[in-house]
Amino acid sequence: MADVDTARLAELIETSFGGKLVPDYWDSIKDSIHRIYISEQYKAVAIIRKVLPSAFRNECLVAIVQDPTGGDVAYLDKFAVVKQNQSEGTGQRSA
């Protein structure tokens, strides 16, 4: 996290979702971050976390992500793209 500009990421996520992150978001996930993928110029981000299945509060979700070994489960916590790039059609150009 030392190399990540969390203020820029927060702005990206908040404008993409149209809401505010909880005040302690970064502190609350710092020990469970598996990977953070950030595009150049912070236009898109994917935050992958790894947690024990017991950390999920929704029982249906726990059943879906249950790891038979009892280990941590990686999941996509946040995925955000700046508004002006959300309809860019990048996927169509790469097909």
Side-chain angles (χ1 to χ4, degrees), residues 21-36:
L21 287 173
V22 293
D24 65 340
Y25 175 72
W26 300 113
D27 285 335
S28 71
I29 70 164
K30 68 181 176 188
D31 294 331
S32 63
I33 294 173
H34 180 61
R35 298 268 191 279
I36 298 180

Side-chain angles (χ1 to χ4, degrees), residues 39-78:
S39 71
E40 290 183 39
Q41 300 174 3
Y42 285 71
K43 292 189 176 200
V45 64
I47 300 174
I48 313 297
R49 293 176 59 196
K50 240 181 168 181
V51 297
L52 288 171
S54 60
F56 291 99
R57 290 183 179 87
N58 182 319
E59 291 177 22
C60 294
L61 187 57
V62 170
I64 292 169
V65 300
Q66 198 75 34
D67 182 340
T69 65
D72 289 348
V73 174
Y75 75 97
L76 180 62
D77 184 66
K78 297 277 186 275

